[in-house]
């Protein structure tokens, strides 16, 4: 049986007749309005300012492209003038008409035009790449400055869309649209000047269609920017739903959520399709008027030219040249309007790309913390609205303390670890390092104070040295070997074919999961933060190796605050403070001996773990 499309996927009827001022309301109908839960979208003012700044920054390149195009157009203008003069000569004195000379001039002009047209396109493409490079660099610089929670809350689909689809649209706009619009504009102005030299009266004739083109284009440009932005947002939403469904396929099957995810995917896909249709409808209302407007200048030039020819004030050569020039205007005009339309999609993507520059200042607090104590004040957090995982946690960890967080599975231990590392901010309450909220520090600064190591690790394509020194690229060989030795990785690292210069990752030497985890811990040693959060950091090692590694790390971690999410209670036994979390609350707090004497939840966990061991 064929599934029925989800009704939520359809646009409200008002979406197709609404004036531009209602565009925000239309977006809200889809839940696509600007929301604090997503990365923001830059305003039109910001986008225009950025485009102007890019033009100023690369003005020399634009000037070169414009000059090359002037030469190209100049050569193109020679041909109609030559054939117009030839036609006039054939009418008055056909025996002495310079046919060979005209063909030679036209052929030479065409050859020079082809050469300069090629140079123009090459320089325009190079200019586009430079402009695009500036945009990419600014985007990446800004992204790495953002606190992890600001980026993570946007979702994988939103980030994927901005860094792939939006970049592709901008690439097209910058590399093609900007240069071609510049070329077309120069060509139109040059043709108008040439018409003025041929017969000034024809300037008014070829401009007769301009008001109609201006009116329909203005109407289109009023509606299209918001439509393109919402279309991009709906695509990001669809992308997010599909990516999350693909990544969580096993969980969806296990929880029997397949029908719900299919319904949600249908709805998101339907929204995107309807917005695609809406923007297509705008284009189909625009292009026919523009195409019809091309006919009038030619007809008027022909009629007016015939009238003045009968009066004896214009020659056949002037009329022919003006007609050919009028015909020449169609291609650059059509090209410019076409690329202006493409530029709307590029501007919509640019507004999404520049949105990260409009993140509210309260999201980023670029100041060094004063003090190293870790404090939680009524911390609440949930992955879904109305369903908190952590319920009002308050605590204080003095600098240099080694604390273990224990509790049953699903109690909120790893969630608290993410909050302590600043990857997510609390829904309410605060987690501070010194006097600064860790979740709102720029990521580079946050990682100099707090580092999180989990069982999730990654080996990047490159040398072993490059993988270890990710946290400190200026580390010496001695420091790298010291970090590897501190995590019991020195022996196997020295046995690699090229030592630190051995290529690892895809296509290189294969590291075992336990070795990859040791590399992650070595990065932590080189990062040298004052507070470390270890979430199953030794889970891939067997119990004896994990115990030996923890003993080796003890000297390195001396004097630092260490917060360990303990799944092996031996780690808790060695900690100064143990925090027991049950159902998102701290149920016990104290040393191993004190909690064993209390005969509470920790004592039960300890006895159960010891019996299993």
């Amino acid at each position: 049986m064929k599934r029925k499309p989800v009704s939520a996927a359809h646009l409200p009827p008002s979406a197709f007749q609404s004036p531009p001022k209602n565009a925000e309301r239309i977006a809200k109908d889809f839940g696509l309005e600007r929301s604090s839960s997503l990365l923001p979208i830059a305003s039109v003012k910001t986008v225009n300012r950025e485009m102007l700044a890019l033009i100023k920054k690369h003005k020399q390149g634009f000037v070169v492209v414009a000059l090359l195009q002037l030469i190209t157009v100049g050569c193109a203008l020679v041909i109609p003038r030559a054939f117009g003069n030839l036609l006039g000569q054939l009418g008055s004195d056909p025996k002495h008409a310079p046919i060979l000379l005209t063909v030679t001039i036209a052929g030479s002009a065409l050859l020079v035009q082809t050469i300069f047209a090629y140079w123009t396109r090459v320089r325009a493409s190079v200019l586009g790449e430079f402009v695009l490079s500036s945009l990419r660099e600014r985007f990446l610089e800004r992204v790495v400055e953002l606190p992890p929670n600001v980026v993570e809350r946007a979702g994988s689909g939103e980030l994927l869309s901005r860094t792939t689809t939006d970049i592709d649209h901008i690439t097209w706009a910058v590399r093609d649209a900007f240069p071609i619009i510049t070329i077309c504009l120069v060509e139109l102005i040059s043709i108008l000047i040439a018409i003025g030299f041929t017969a000034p009266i024809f300037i008014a004739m070829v401009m007769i269609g301009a008001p109609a083109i201006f009116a329909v284009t203005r109407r289109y440009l009023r509606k299209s920017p918001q439509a393109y932005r919402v279309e991009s947002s709906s695509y990001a939403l669809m992308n997010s739903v599909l990516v999350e469904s693909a990544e969580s396929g096993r969980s969806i099957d296990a929880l029997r959520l397949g029908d719900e995810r299919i319904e949600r995917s249908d709805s998101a896909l339907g929204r995107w399709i309807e917005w695609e249709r809406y923007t297509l409808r705008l284009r189909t209302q625009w292009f026919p008027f523009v195409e019809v407007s091309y006919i009038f200048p030619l007809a008027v030039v022909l009629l007016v030219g015939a009238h003045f020819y009968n009066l004896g004030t214009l020659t056949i050569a002037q009329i022919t040249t003006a007609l050919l020039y009028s015909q020449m205007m169609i291609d650059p005009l059509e090209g410019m309007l076409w690329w202006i339309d493409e530029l709307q999609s590029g501007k919509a993507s640019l507004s999404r790309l520049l949105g990260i520059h409009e993140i509210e200042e309260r999201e980023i607090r670029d100041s060094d913390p004063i003090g190293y104590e870790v404090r939680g004040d009524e911390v609440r957090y949930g992955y879904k609205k109305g369903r908190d995982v952590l319920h009002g946690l308050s605590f204080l960890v003095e600098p240099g303390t080694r604390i273990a967080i224990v509790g049953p599975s699903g109690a909120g231990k790893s969630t608290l670890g993410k909050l302590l590392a600043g990857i997510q901010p609390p829904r309410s309450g605060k987690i501070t390092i010194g006097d600064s909220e860790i979740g709102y520090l720029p990521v580079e600064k946050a990682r100099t104070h707090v580092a999180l190591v989990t069982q999730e690790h990654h080996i990047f394509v490159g040398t072993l040295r490059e993988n270890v020194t990710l946290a400190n690229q200026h580390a010496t060989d001695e420091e790298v070997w010291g970090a590897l030795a501190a995590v019991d990785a020195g022996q196997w690292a020295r046995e690699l074919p090229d030592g630190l210069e051995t290529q690892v990752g895809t296509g290189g030497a294969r590291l075992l999961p336990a070795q990859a985890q040791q590399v992650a811990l070595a990065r932590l040693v080189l990062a040298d933060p004052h507070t470390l959060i270890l979430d199953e950091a030794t889970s891939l090692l067997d119990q004896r190796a994990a115990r030996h590694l923890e003993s080796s790390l003890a000297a390195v971690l001396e004097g630092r605050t260490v917060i360990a999410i303990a799944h092996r209670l031996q780690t808790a036994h060695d900690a100064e403070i143990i925090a027991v979390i049950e159902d998102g609350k701290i149920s016990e707090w104290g040393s191993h001996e004190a909690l064993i004497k209390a005969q509470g939840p920790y004592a039960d966990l300890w006895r159960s773990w010891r019996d299993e061991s």
Side-chain angles (χ1 to χ4, degrees):
M1 180 178 177
K2 190 174 180 180
R3 280 186 288 106
K4 183 180 179 181
V6 182
S7 60
H10 296 287
L11 272 171
S14 60
F16 296 101
Q17 294 85 27
S18 303
K21 65 181 181 180
N22 288 336
E24 290 289 345
R25 181 180 60 76
I26 298 170
K28 287 182 180 181
D29 288 342
F30 287 94
L32 298 172
E33 71 278 7
R34 296 181 185 189
S35 168
S36 60
S37 63
L38 297 174
L39 294 177
I41 296 175
S43 64
V44 175
K45 183 178 179 181
T46 299
V47 174
N48 291 337
R49 186 173 64 245
E50 179 67 20
M51 291 173 67
L52 184 61
L54 286 171
I55 291 172
K56 287 181 178 179
K57 182 178 179 180
H58 302 278
K59 61 183 177 182
Q60 184 177 352
F62 280 102
V63 170
V64 170
V65 170
L67 289 176
L68 287 172
Q69 183 60 18
L70 273 175
I71 298 173
T72 305
V73 175
C75 295
L77 294 175
V78 169
I79 300 172
R81 188 62 179 261
F83 281 108
N85 290 338
L86 176 62
L87 188 60
Q89 188 71 20
L90 287 171
S92 60
D93 187 8
K95 290 185 178 181
H96 296 91
I99 297 176
L100 182 60
L101 177 63
T102 300
V103 172
T104 302
I105 291 173
S108 300
L110 183 61
L111 178 62
V112 176
Q113 177 191 355
T114 303
I115 294 171
F116 276 92
Y118 171 77
W119 284 354
T120 303
R121 289 301 178 95
V122 170
R123 293 299 304 174
S125 296
V126 171
L127 170 64
E129 291 298 336
F130 275 113
V131 175
L132 186 63
S133 175
S134 297
L135 280 172
R136 281 174 170 162
E137 288 169 4
R138 284 196 61 201
F139 177 74
L140 289 175
E141 286 172 1
R142 181 60 171 168
V143 166
V144 298
E145 289 174 355
L146 295 176
N149 70 81
V150 175
V151 178
E152 185 150 326
R153 75 185 180 192
S156 55
E158 177 75 8
L159 291 173
L160 187 63
S161 175
R162 294 200 185 204
T163 53
T164 54
T165 305
D166 287 330
I167 286 287
D168 287 343
H169 287 168
I170 293 170
T171 300
W172 197 3
V174 170
R175 191 170 54 204
D176 297 325
F178 261 130
I180 291 177
I181 288 172
T182 303
I183 290 169
C184 292
L185 193 59
V186 171
E187 192 170 350
L188 285 171
I189 294 172
S190 301
I191 293 172
L192 285 174
I193 293 173
I195 291 174
F197 279 112
T198 302
I201 191 172
F202 285 127
I203 293 179
M205 302 302 103
V206 297
M207 295 295 290
I208 195 169
I213 293 175
F214 176 79
V216 295
T217 302
R218 184 170 180 270
R219 175 182 177 275
Y220 171 77
L221 294 180
R222 279 204 319 266
K223 291 188 174 184
S224 62
Q226 175 66 19
Y228 278 118
R229 282 196 294 272
V230 179
E231 178 192 335
S232 295
S233 295
S234 63
Y235 178 83
L237 178 63
M238 176 202 68
N239 203 20
S240 180
V241 171
L242 295 180
V243 168
E244 290 169 2
S245 297
E247 290 178 347
S248 307
R250 291 183 179 178
S251 298
I252 291 171
D253 287 342
L255 298 174
R256 298 181 180 178
L257 297 175
D259 291 340
E260 180 185 337
R261 296 305 297 185
I262 289 172
E263 204 169 289
R264 185 171 298 182
S265 299
D266 281 349
S267 178
L269 182 61
R271 291 178 184 177
W272 173 58
I273 290 173
E274 290 297 341
W275 278 102
E276 282 274 1
R277 289 175 179 170
Y278 179 47
T279 55
L280 178 61
R281 181 170 298 188
L282 289 178
R283 292 193 293 275
T284 55
Q285 293 171 352
W286 176 43
F287 277 121
F289 284 97
V290 173
E291 294 288 341
V292 171
S293 299
Y294 295 153
I295 300 173
F296 292 108
L298 291 173
V300 172
V301 166
L302 187 60
L303 290 173
V304 172
H307 173 71
F308 282 102
Y309 176 76
N310 290 331
L311 294 178
T313 56
L314 289 178
T315 65
I316 288 292
Q318 288 175 306
I319 296 170
T320 302
T321 303
L323 277 170
L324 291 174
Y325 282 157
S326 301
Q327 179 68 31
M328 282 181 64
M329 289 186 67
I330 293 177
D331 284 343
L333 183 59
E334 188 173 53
M336 187 172 70
L337 293 174
W338 171 266
W339 283 104
I340 284 176
D341 176 46
E342 294 298 327
L343 193 60
Q344 295 306 304
S345 178
K347 283 183 69 176
S349 293
L350 183 60
S351 68
R352 288 165 51 76
L353 203 66
L354 295 176
I356 60 172
H357 295 280
E358 294 194 349
I359 291 175
E360 299 177 21
E361 288 300 319
R362 67 179 178 82
E363 301 280 9
I364 306 172
R365 299 166 189 174
D366 194 2
S367 60
D368 285 308
I370 300 175
Y372 294 155
E373 73 273 8
V374 180
R375 183 186 298 272
D377 182 18
E378 286 296 318
V379 175
R380 297 180 182 274
Y381 181 79
Y383 294 99
K384 290 186 177 181
K385 189 175 182 180
R387 297 177 62 182
D388 284 346
V389 177
L390 302 178
H391 308 280
L393 273 63
S394 295
F395 51 85
L396 173 64
V397 181
E398 295 291 346
T401 303
R402 187 178 180 91
I403 181 172
I405 300 176
V406 302
S409 297
K413 303 186 299 297
S414 294
T415 300
L416 179 58
K418 290 182 179 180
L419 267 60
L420 289 168
I423 293 176
Q424 294 284 3
R427 181 182 64 77
S428 64
K430 294 192 300 184
I431 292 181
T432 57
I433 303 292
D435 62 341
S436 299
E437 289 189 63
I438 186 65
Y440 296 105
L441 287 175
V443 63
E444 292 299 321
K445 183 160 289 186
R447 291 299 157 258
T448 63
H449 297 282
V450 181
L452 169 68
V453 177
T454 71
Q455 62 179 339
E456 298 174 4
H457 51 270
H458 188 74
I459 296 297
F460 298 90
V461 175
T463 65
L464 178 61
R465 178 204 306 278
E466 290 169 340
N467 269 270
V468 176
T469 58
L470 284 173
N472 181 1
Q473 296 182 2
H474 302 292
T476 63
D477 284 1
E478 184 179 352
E479 289 172 328
V480 174
W481 283 119
L484 289 168
V487 297
D488 288 346
Q491 181 176 350
W492 64 257
R494 292 185 185 278
E495 292 174 356
L496 292 174
D498 299 313
L500 294 179
E501 301 306 321
T502 302
Q503 291 288 326
V504 296
T506 304
R510 181 177 176 271
L511 298 185
L512 298 173
Q515 292 172 332
Q517 198 164 53
Q518 287 173 314
V519 170
L521 289 167
R523 292 174 190 149
L524 182 68
V525 173
L526 283 183
D528 195 28
H530 60 73
T531 300
L532 298 96
I533 301 166
L534 309 177
D535 186 3
E536 293 189 276
T538 59
S539 63
L540 298 179
L541 303 175
D542 60 57
Q543 188 168 340
R544 179 177 297 179
R547 181 68 176 154
H548 187 272
L549 175 56
E550 288 169 2
S551 299
S552 301
L553 277 172
V556 178
L557 303 181
E558 185 68 31
R560 291 178 172 83
T561 303
V562 179
I563 302 174
I565 313 296
H567 298 265
R568 290 170 173 159
L569 290 195
Q570 184 61 50
T571 302
H573 177 274
D574 298 335
E576 298 168 352
I577 298 292
I578 298 169
V580 181
I581 295 184
E582 295 182 299
D583 297 326
K585 298 179 181 179
I586 298 177
S587 59
E588 288 188 303
W589 180 281
S591 66
H592 172 78
E593 291 77 12
L595 296 185
I596 289 295
K597 289 180 182 179
Q599 292 298 308
Y602 176 75
D604 294 337
L605 286 172
W606 176 260
R607 282 192 295 269
S608 175
W609 177 80
R610 188 180 56 187
D611 292 342
E612 289 178 1
S613 300

